[in-house]
Amino acid sequence: MTRLQGKIAIVTGVSRPGGIGAAICRAFAAEGADLFFTHLYDYDKNIYPNDANESWPDLFAGELHQSGGKVGHMELDLALPGSGLLLLEEVRKTVGVPTILVNNATYSVDADFRQLTEALIDAHCAVNIRGTFMLSAEFARMLEAEQSTGGKLGGRIINLTSGQGKGPMPGNLAYAATKGAISIFTESLAAELAPLCITVNAVDPGPTDSGWMSEEVKEALLPQFPMGRIGLPGDAARLITFLASDDSEWITGQIIHSRGGF
């Protein structure tokens, strides 16, 4: 299991042991990657009070380090202007020049048309749109600069979406709209970055049991999965690991709906 040996990867939004971000990091580490992940406890403690732990990132870094690679992490709010450059500088200093970026961090607060406010829209846009867009752009600029000095670096950008193009998502208006923007961004950025051998793809993992599902939600969702079970973080992690590897070099500009037939 060495598909990512010698690669350096960034994974954003890794704050909880049961989350998709943690599963991606574990899968990457198992394939030999050096890792840098971000986390934001102040957000997760409100959304996932039973799964968020302020001291967990340090413990998780120790777990990943047992695979033999370098590991770094930092608390980062992608809503802050300049956060993308700050992250890339820290990664280069701590681990090295990254060639894989997984935009897993997201902002999501349920709101229907009665609850929607300007502040809520701005909060979603700041992370899901501006944060994702600018980090991706700064990452690509960094790799372009490396190539201009004689480096032969390709790269991988992998975004997370939520199936907003498969049907309406009532009650979650700002989240659905901003995730939809990521899909459009993915397709257009892929065309721009193809000459640099940087692929850009997005993964929609469907409803995934990453700590937010109650037993009632699981019971309601299960009949809609023809494969007989609900999606798990590891399902998304396996696909994302493939997209991060050299085996996926001919795949770009795709929105992959990996949702077990949901």
Side-chain angles (χ1 to χ4, degrees), residues 32-117:
D34 295 329
L35 285 160
F36 195 100
F37 64 93
T38 72
H39 44 89
L40 189 61
Y41 173 72
D42 285 345
Y43 171 78
D44 281 278
K45 71 179 180 181
N46 295 319
I47 307 298
Y48 305 98
N50 297 324
D51 202 20
N53 181 338
E54 193 168 12
S55 63
W56 176 78
D58 285 328
L59 299 174
F60 187 52
E63 174 192 330
L64 295 174
H65 191 64
Q66 292 178 10
S67 296
K70 297 178 182 177
V71 182
H73 66 93
M74 68 183 295
E75 185 170 68
L76 183 70
D77 185 353
L78 286 168
L80 298 177
S83 59
L85 275 176
L86 179 66
L87 171 57
L88 291 172
E89 289 170 3
E90 187 65 22
V91 175
R92 295 185 70 154
K93 180 174 65 176
T94 306
V95 185
V97 177
T99 58
I100 300 167
L101 169 63
V102 181
N103 285 306
N104 174 66
T106 192
Y107 186 93
S108 177
V109 175
D110 291 350
D112 62 16
F113 75 94
R114 295 182 181 89
Q115 300 161 319
L116 200 62
T117 64

Side-chain angles (χ1 to χ4, degrees), residues 117-129:
T117 64
E118 293 175 349
L120 196 59
I121 293 171
D122 289 346
H124 281 81
C125 288
V127 176
N128 300 347
I129 295 180

